[in-house]
Amino acid sequence: MTSRMRPAEAHPYLRASTAGVRHHTRALTRPALTASTAVDRVHLDVLHAHLTALHQLLDQLAESTRPPHPAAGRHLATAQTRLWQATAEVHSAFHVLPAASAEATECAPEQLPEGPPVLTICQRHLAAGHIVRRKTTPTDLNRPHTTACAR
């Protein structure tokens, strides 16, 4: 016998993540926050990590939804493609922003178990790109936004 959870109790970690994003968005809209402190490479790196995690989640949801509900699976796959486009733009923005200081651009990878800080976002992006290349064509990535049913 399975019991249904109320929406307020379902998926607590996902709900906490959403609450965290909302809180961060409200914090950025404070009048005291200036444009010079709003976005930096660290900020975009953390946002990129969040987007790639969402991308993986959508991939798993689309795969499990597609067999019993093909139309819903196509919508989720389309959402995954659009999210990848957003992730790629955040990755590009990261590389356009200047480093905070000369020390930040100097790297001592032997001191960091995960490697140079600038390369961690690239490694994450390449890993997520494997999913994209496996399931998406270049035409799909360049197609303007349409619903999955229009295909």
Side-chain angles (χ1 to χ4, degrees):
M1 182 172 141
T2 61
S3 63
R4 288 254 181 223
M5 296 181 91
R6 294 191 330 241
E9 297 169 349
H11 312 290
Y13 294 114
L14 190 56
R15 294 174 60 78
S17 175
T18 302
V21 169
R22 285 182 184 147
H23 174 77
H24 188 71
T25 301
R26 282 192 299 272
L28 287 175
T29 59
R30 290 188 318 232
L33 192 64
T34 63
S36 64
T37 60
V39 176
D40 59 9
R41 288 179 131 198
V42 173
H43 198 156
L44 291 183
D45 186 27
V46 172
L47 181 59
H48 186 270
H50 188 76
L51 290 172
T52 54
L54 282 173
H55 186 264
Q56 290 173 346
L57 176 61
L58 276 173
D59 179 49
Q60 291 175 354
L61 290 173
E63 285 298 313
S64 64
T65 302
R66 195 172 284 131
H69 306 287
R74 284 191 302 272
H75 278 286
L76 291 172
T78 299
Q80 178 191 12
T81 300
R82 300 301 167 243
L83 186 59
W84 174 253
Q85 291 169 332
T87 303
E89 293 300 329
V90 169
H91 179 250
S92 296
F94 174 89
H95 287 293
V96 173
L97 284 177
S101 67
E103 289 177 3
T105 60
E106 293 178 13
C107 183
E110 66 280 356
Q111 296 175 0
L112 300 171
E114 68 278 0
V118 149
L119 296 181
T120 56
I121 188 172
C122 295
Q123 290 169 347
R124 183 184 326 113
H125 197 71
L126 287 171
H130 287 294
I131 294 171
V132 172
R133 284 190 297 280
R134 191 177 78 234
K135 298 183 178 194
T136 312
T137 67
T139 303
D140 289 336
L141 290 174
N142 293 320
R143 179 178 291 146
H145 174 69
T146 59
T147 61
C149 292
R151 290 184 186 172

